[in-house]
Amino acid sequence: MPAHKTGTAFTKPVDPLLGQAINTWEALRPHQPKRTDKRTGEQIDFLFAYRARTVSSGYINSSIVPMLCRKAGVPAADVRGNITSHRARSTIASQLYNAKEPMTLFELQAWLGHRSPESTQHYAKASPNTLTKAYEDAGYFARNVRTIEVLVDRDAVTSGAAAGGEPWQHYDLGHGYCTYTFFEQCPHRMACARCDFYTPKDSSKAQLLEAKDNLQRMLATIPLTDEERAAVDDGQTALDQLLQRLVDVPTPSGPTPRELLPIVEVRRDADDDR
């Protein structure tokens, strides 16, 4: 590559297909004499030259590129404007930056021939797919959710009793069941205060529920706040802080934990977390 406005002459690798096309073009066109580089004064061979004259970038963008677009069956313009050689350079740079094995910013800088990485940053734009993969790899959403088993009483659903207010979802808290329909919105879900929606597992009501034949066991994904995740992962101190914060927060049935029985935290084995 000859000297340009942002750097000196340099060598860059290209795709083999492009190399073959260049060799074919040089073999077909008449021999071209060397010309003087206006920036360096050196005698060099210009790739885009014909009849001993260089082909201007204006002619390339106004005539050659539209002709290539027509031959390829693609539009010569899009919502951003006309397709130009610079647009092609920008597209290739973005593809190299978002490839499966992407170039680093500094490698892309060298490939583009930029003097400063700040110039390269205009080309190094992450695609939506790259951002999606980076977000998934970061695992932020996954680390802020837990799964909990739910018993669905199909008899209550099919008989219409659920529509009349009878509980039909029973969230397994380990030591009991919560029948609050909007359990994932309950602020006490990680530290059950045993409100009216709570059923202890050692109660006859819970035993009758577990004895039913038409129960469907499902898993529900519950998003956690950072404070709740700390209570799960960081031990008793973080759990105590969560309990203290919730002591005067009303439960779904109305009373606050301070007005109810002693708070019983939700403890789940590591194997229960998905």
Side-chain angles (χ1 to χ4, degrees):
M1 300 296 295
H4 51 96
K5 63 181 181 180
T6 61
T8 59
F10 66 101
T11 301
K12 67 189 298 182
V14 296
D15 190 274
L17 289 176
L18 176 57
Q20 294 171 12
I22 292 174
N23 292 335
T24 301
W25 161 244
E26 290 180 331
L28 290 176
R29 72 174 181 177
H31 174 72
Q32 302 296 310
K34 292 180 180 293
R35 293 183 57 82
T36 302
D37 189 327
K38 296 179 180 180
R39 289 187 174 85
T40 65
E42 297 177 340
Q43 295 292 309
I44 62 174
D45 292 312
F46 282 89
L47 175 61
F48 295 104
Y50 193 68
R51 293 181 179 176
R53 298 178 61 183
T54 57
V55 180
S56 69
S57 59
Y59 182 77
I60 291 175
N61 290 324
S62 65
S63 299
I64 296 179
V65 171
M67 178 189 66
L68 294 175
C69 289
R70 289 194 298 271
K71 290 179 69 68
V74 298
D78 58 15
V79 293
R80 295 176 56 189
N82 294 331
I83 305 300
T84 64
S85 57
H86 187 269
R87 289 280 302 280
R89 171 183 167 90
S90 176
T91 298
I92 294 173
S94 296
Q95 290 175 339
L96 292 174
Y97 187 73
N98 289 281
K100 185 177 181 180
E101 298 293 336
M103 280 186 170
T104 66
L105 182 65
F106 294 107
E107 290 170 341
L108 190 60
Q109 175 189 347
W111 191 85
L112 291 170
H114 288 156
R115 180 174 300 174
S116 168
E118 294 180 356
S119 300
T120 311
Q121 289 177 343
H122 294 290
Y123 297 83
K125 297 178 180 179
S127 68
N129 288 338
T130 300
L131 285 176
T132 300
K133 184 177 184 304
Y135 179 79
E136 291 175 348
D137 291 344
Y140 178 81
F141 182 75
R143 72 188 181 94
N144 281 279
V145 297
R146 292 295 187 274
T147 55
I148 186 171
E149 188 175 73
V150 186
L151 300 183
V152 178
D153 188 348
R154 295 181 61 85
D155 288 336
V157 175
T158 56
S159 66
E166 182 175 329
W168 61 280
Q169 289 177 302
H170 304 268
Y171 292 86
D172 189 349
L173 307 181
H175 49 76
Y177 295 102
C178 178
T179 60
Y180 184 47
T181 303
F182 305 101
F183 173 80
E184 69 280 359
Q185 300 176 17
C186 178
H188 303 275
R189 58 195 174 187
M190 299 305 298
C192 182
R194 296 194 175 190
C195 69
D196 293 344
F197 290 95
Y198 175 78
T199 303
K201 277 193 173 181
D202 57 2
S203 66
S204 58
K205 185 177 181 180
Q207 293 172 0
L208 288 173
L209 170 68
E210 294 172 346
K212 287 187 175 182
D213 294 329
N214 203 16
L215 285 179
Q216 183 176 2
R217 296 181 180 271
M218 304 180 66
L219 291 177
T221 299
I222 307 298
L224 304 183
T225 64
D226 289 340
E227 192 176 25
E228 290 172 331
R229 188 172 61 83
V232 175
D233 299 337
D234 297 342
Q236 189 64 39
T237 301
L239 179 59
D240 290 340
Q241 292 175 352
L242 177 62
L243 296 177
Q244 184 61 35
R245 184 181 67 81
L246 295 173
V247 70
D248 291 315
V249 176
T251 62
S253 62
T256 66
R258 192 188 298 276
E259 298 167 340
L260 294 167
L261 297 173
I263 297 174
V264 178
E265 66 272 14
V266 176
R267 295 185 181 275
R268 300 196 62 79
D269 296 334
D271 293 339
D272 292 337
D273 293 339
R274 302 291 192 270

